[in-house]
Amino acid sequence: VGLTGTNNSFQILNAGVATNTGGVVIGSGAGASNNFALVTDTNSIWRIGGTLTVGSVGPRNLLTITNGGKAYVTSTRSARSRAGRARS
């Protein structure tokens, strides 16, 4: 989500389901900022079969899981300080 761009989003809602067989990066490059992924509402699920990285280099990238949404992740990698954050 937002490999090198800004203001990109990926949203799963209303009992939607998405599956990634590999890893996911939210905000990868130095110019990637203000990108977000949202998993919201009961029975909304994101399955990530690899590593989840939020804010690899770019600033202000975000993952939000709320309202009964769920994410199942094989592994996570910490973002650089202030680059990205995950919240639920």
Side-chain angles (χ1 to χ4, degrees):
V1 180
L3 181 63
T4 58
T6 61
N7 302 308
N8 297 289
S9 69
F10 178 72
Q11 301 175 51
I12 304 168
L13 42 124
N14 298 324
V17 176
T19 301
N20 292 83
T21 57
V24 170
V25 179
I26 301 170
S28 180
S33 66
N34 300 305
N35 300 294
F36 73 91
L38 171 67
V39 184
T40 186
D41 303 324
T42 303
N43 296 321
S44 294
I45 300 170
W46 193 5
R47 292 184 181 97
I48 301 170
T51 300
L52 168 65
T53 305
V54 179
S56 180
V57 176
R60 295 176 303 280
N61 297 289
L62 178 68
L63 166 63
T64 301
I65 303 166
T66 188
N67 257 1
K70 293 181 173 67
Y72 300 100
V73 182
T74 300
S75 65
T76 59
R77 183 171 32 181
S78 296
R80 291 181 175 217
S81 67
R82 298 189 318 200
R85 61 182 180 194
R87 68 179 181 198
S88 62

